């Protein structure tokens, strides 16, 4: 559940939005789309995830796939926002590093994560 309180002009606002796992997954995909615009229509149905962890992993992969490549610090920042903590973001980065669809190159002190098909 998401609760928003504030004002619109002089009018008080108290809004409660109930979201299930599929709604959170769609929101994560939309936030990930800020990295690079997606060509899929906004009304494309999103398959409900089996669990919250699977949904976050699917969104993390989609984020890198859409971007094509991201530096380690940029990817960590995106994954921290997606997962809600630095530790969970780092766990996702380790999982990415070991994924068959991700290639990691060292460019000086900064690793670059590339999505490969």
């Amino acid at each position: 559940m998401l609760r928003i309180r504030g004002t619109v002009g002089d009018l008080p606002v108290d809004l409660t939005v109930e979201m299930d796992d599929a709604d959170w997954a769609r929101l994560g995909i939309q936030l990930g789309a800020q990295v690079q615009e997606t060509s899929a229509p906004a009304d494309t149905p999103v398959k409900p995830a089996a669990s919250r962890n699977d949904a976050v992993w699917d969104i993390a992969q989609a984020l890198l796939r859409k971007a094509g490549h991201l530096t380690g610090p940029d990817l960590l920042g995106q994954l921290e926002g997606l997962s809600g903590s630095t530790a969970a973001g780092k766990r996702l980065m380790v999982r990415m590093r070991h994924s068959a669809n991700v290639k990691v190159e060292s460019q000086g002190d900064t690793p670059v994560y590339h999505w490969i098909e």
Side-chain angles (χ1 to χ4, degrees), residues 66-84:
K66 290 176 186 174
H69 65 278
L70 289 169
T71 64
D74 290 339
L75 180 60
L76 180 58
Q78 293 286 328
L79 296 177
E80 285 175 349
L82 178 65
S83 63

Side-chain angles (χ1 to χ4, degrees), residues 7-76:
T7 59
V8 175
D10 292 332
L11 299 173
V13 175
D14 189 356
L15 177 66
T16 302
V17 180
E18 293 187 24
M19 298 174 66
D20 61 14
D21 286 341
D23 295 326
W24 283 110
R26 274 191 224 107
L27 178 61
I29 289 170
Q30 291 298 320
L31 292 175
Q34 292 176 0
V35 174
Q36 182 176 351
E37 296 244 343
T38 181
S39 60
D43 61 345
T44 303
V46 175
K47 179 179 80 172
S51 72
R52 173 79 173 127
N53 289 339
D54 288 342
V56 171
W57 174 241
D58 290 343
I59 295 167
Q61 291 182 95
L63 181 116
L64 184 59
R65 181 174 48 247
K66 290 176 186 174
H69 65 278
L70 289 169
T71 64
D74 290 339
L75 180 60
L76 180 58

